[in-house]
Amino acid sequence: MEKPRVYANPINKKIENVQDLFRSDNTVSNKKNPVDINKKINEIFASRNHVYKSKVRISLKDKTFDAEIVGKTNLNLLTIDGKLISIPDIVDIEKI
């Protein structure tokens, strides 16, 4: 059985698709984009499981704690025990 013939196009020019310089930055940033934090908060409140309150783990700049959030303003989250948590101070938030 004869194999099919394949046309190989000749390369008549210099190929410059290699990278000459690479830089890497090993610093780890814990600062999340505020839009991402607001998006996560809005997803928690829009969840089908959120009826009145949601149990979440909140990471601030200096500590991490669990809380039950019941409301939100532009700058704060309201917990079930009446505490206000400043949204700009939040580094990460996740539903438990």
Side-chain angles (χ1 to χ4, degrees):
M1 179 170 177
E2 185 179 336
K3 294 183 181 180
R5 295 182 0 186
V6 178
Y7 176 73
N9 194 13
I11 300 174
N12 297 329
K13 60 182 179 180
K14 183 179 178 186
I15 299 175
E16 295 181 10
N17 63 353
V18 295
Q19 187 174 3
D20 294 334
L21 180 65
F22 175 76
R23 292 186 184 187
S24 175
D25 187 16
N26 290 335
T27 59
V28 177
S29 175
N30 288 338
K31 184 74 174 168
K32 294 267 186 172
N33 190 355
V35 176
D36 293 339
I37 298 298
N38 281 327
K39 183 179 176 187
K40 283 184 171 185
I41 292 170
N42 289 335
E43 287 174 356
I44 290 171
F45 282 112
S47 170
R48 295 182 72 184
N49 297 331
H50 176 81
V51 176
Y52 172 68
K53 61 184 178 178
S54 292
K55 190 165 177 110
V56 294
R57 177 165 292 126
I58 299 174
S59 299
L60 298 178
K61 296 174 184 175
D62 56 350
K63 64 181 178 177
T64 301
F65 60 94
D66 295 342
E68 291 182 357
I69 56 173
V70 294
K72 173 187 178 268
T73 64
N74 287 338
L75 296 175
N76 296 313
L77 289 177
L78 180 64
T79 63
I80 194 143
D81 41 336
K83 296 180 184 175
L84 291 176
I85 302 168
S86 177
I87 293 176
D89 292 342
I90 296 175
V91 176
D92 192 24
I93 185 168
E94 62 180 309
K95 188 168 174 80
I96 299 177

